[in-house]
Amino acid sequence: MILAIESSCDDSSVAIMKASDFSLVYYEKISQEKEHAKYGGVVPELAARLHTAALPAVILRAKEHFKALKAIAVTNEPGLSVSLLPGIVAAKALAAALNLPLISVNHLVGHIYSLFLSEQIKLPLGVLLVSGGHTMILDISETGVISVLGATSDDSFGESFDKSAKMLGLGYPGGPQIQNLALKGDDRAYDFSLPLKGTKRLEYSFSGLKNQVRLACLELENSRIPSDKSRIPSENSRIPSENSRIPSQQKANIAASFERVACLHIIDRLKLAFSSQKWAHFGVVGGASANLRLRGMLENLCASYDCELLFAPLEYCSDNAAMIARAAVAKYHNKDFCENLEMHPRSSLENLKII
Ligand code: KG4
Ligand code: ZN
């Protein structure tokens, strides 16, 4: 069995997986969402303190399995440095105490493995990675070599939901909030323009769309209280505003129109990728892959290219240690241990292999 620790952002999670059949023997995740929601986003220093409080207790709850462990795995890249550190220190201490080797896992590789939690991986594979920190189209070759075909040049898909939600005065994280509110809105009420329309560039850009949301909020605020601009919500404000000055139906219309165009942008660029790749399997991973509108559009896209669409179980779309354990099991079978495990907060996926 392998014990894996994940703490790269705002979730403290531990999993133990059997190397023989990928079954999960132990799994726990303590989310810090409620604590960060008060500030409208992740506060690094708070995340570090909460990881330091949570991880030792979660690890000790798995104590009965310690005797069966063969290695300790931990996310060491990329992520918030102050969040990665408590996980790495805990992993090193546990490995030293139990005299076990360490396995380092790239968080993004972990997200890819969330597709194959209980089965062997399918290659070659196309992947869309949509999370709070990343938006990427990946190609994974027959031998497991990862190539980044396209990425965002500014905000990520998830981040654009978080920031738009903040401007609308909704809670954090913004993805689920926007998705729920959008159900009550008219997704054609606002004619937001599609980013990079008509270009052939295989990349994403969400900052222009976010700005269109900002302007729509501003216009509504101004039309109600022309003289008072002091309460216009800002994506950068630390405290989420209630923004009660925008009527709720208008908020729902903005949320629905934003979500429609954000998802269309994902699909529009993916069509470019599909036209040059011959994928038999396509996986969608990361916390924002939970978005139901995006899932529906991806189903249509993959059906039209006769490509099998793969999702992780909903519970394992957002950050979790089960996907880290699954990636670690693959490394364990390759005897890929790490003697000097270091943290790399800003690493990328380029030239990494998944098997
Ligand atoms: O993968 P994840 O848990 O953390 C990172 O590694 O970033 O992804 C979190 C992101 C947040 O931006 C959150 O708003 C977004 O995923 N998200 C969603 C949905 N659920 C979570 N975005 C759109 N629609 C959703 N239903
Ligand atoms: Zn993640």
Side-chain angles (χ1 to χ4, degrees), residues 8-11 107 111 130-134 156-159 161-162 172-176 179 259 286-292 317-319:
S8 63
C9 189
D10 60 347
D11 296 292
H107 179 80
H111 272 303
V130 273
S131 69
H134 297 85
S156 75
F157 180 72
E159 193 179 4
F161 277 72
D162 293 335
Y172 172 85
Q179 175 172 289
E259 187 189 49
S289 69
N291 187 279
L292 294 176
C317 285
S318 57
D319 293 349

Side-chain angles (χ1 to χ4, degrees), residues 62-135:
K63 202 172 171 184
E64 62 175 295
H65 303 293
F66 282 6
K67 277 201 196 99
L69 295 179
K70 296 290 180 206
I72 306 297
V74 64
T75 305
N76 71 326
E77 61 180 12
L80 286 173
S81 57
V82 292
S83 289
L84 289 165
L85 271 179
I88 292 175
V89 171
K92 286 191 172 186
L94 194 59
L98 301 177
N99 197 22
L100 294 173
L102 279 164
I103 297 176
S104 62
V105 177
N106 179 299
H107 179 80
L108 307 179
V109 169
H111 272 303
I112 297 170
Y113 270 102
S114 67
L115 297 169
F116 305 113
L117 273 170
S118 53
E119 53 180 304
Q120 299 289 347
I121 73 163
K122 294 175 175 171
L123 295 176
L125 176 74
V127 173
L128 171 71
L129 170 65
V130 273
S131 69
H134 297 85
T135 302

Side-chain angles (χ1 to χ4, degrees), residues 20-41:
S20 53
D21 61 4
F22 316 125
S23 58
L24 270 180
V25 176
Y26 175 86
Y27 175 67
E28 190 174 347
K29 164 165 140 168
I30 297 185
S31 169
Q32 307 174 352
E33 262 171 21
K34 273 202 193 113
E35 283 84 353
H36 294 291
K38 293 175 207 151
Y39 305 96

Side-chain angles (χ1 to χ4, degrees), residues 28-60:
E28 190 174 347
K29 164 165 140 168
I30 297 185
S31 169
Q32 307 174 352
E33 262 171 21
K34 273 202 193 113
E35 283 84 353
H36 294 291
K38 293 175 207 151
Y39 305 96
V42 177
V43 180
E45 206 262 351
L46 176 60
R49 271 193 282 138
L50 293 171
H51 283 310
T52 306
L55 282 174
V58 180
I59 291 169
L60 277 179

Side-chain angles (χ1 to χ4, degrees), residues 231-299:
R231 293 187 53 190
I232 292 166
S234 155
E235 51 151 301
N236 297 320
S237 85
R238 264 296 180 212
I239 313 294
S241 88
E242 265 301 304
N243 205 354
S244 54
R245 295 183 180 205
I246 300 182
S248 51
Q249 186 55 51
Q250 298 288 11
K251 275 192 194 183
N253 290 348
I254 294 176
S257 304
F258 159 78
E259 187 189 49
R260 185 178 72 85
V261 177
C263 294
L264 266 180
H265 180 36
I266 292 284
I267 300 297
D268 185 47
R269 297 295 101 181
L270 272 181
K271 281 182 183 163
L272 283 179
F274 269 84
S275 64
S276 59
Q277 304 287 330
K278 296 223 169 351
W279 289 313
H281 316 285
F282 189 79
V284 188
V285 300
S289 69
N291 187 279
L292 294 176
R293 185 192 287 258
L294 181 65
R295 285 182 170 224
M297 289 183 176
L298 285 162
E299 271 159 18

Side-chain angles (χ1 to χ4, degrees), residues 110-186:
H111 272 303
I112 297 170
Y113 270 102
S114 67
L115 297 169
F116 305 113
L117 273 170
S118 53
E119 53 180 304
Q120 299 289 347
I121 73 163
K122 294 175 175 171
L123 295 176
L125 176 74
V127 173
L128 171 71
L129 170 65
V130 273
S131 69
H134 297 85
T135 302
M136 289 177 173
I137 303 171
L138 309 169
D139 175 60
I140 308 179
S141 75
E142 198 119 24
T143 54
V145 177
I146 302 172
S147 307
V148 180
L149 302 184
T152 180
S153 54
D154 40 60
D155 292 344
S156 75
F157 180 72
E159 193 179 4
S160 72
F161 277 72
D162 293 335
K163 289 181 173 173
S164 297
K166 201 166 180 177
M167 290 187 276
L168 288 167
L170 310 173
Y172 172 85
Q177 304 278 350
I178 295 247
Q179 175 172 289
N180 288 338
L181 187 60
L183 294 174
K184 299 181 195 145
D186 172 3

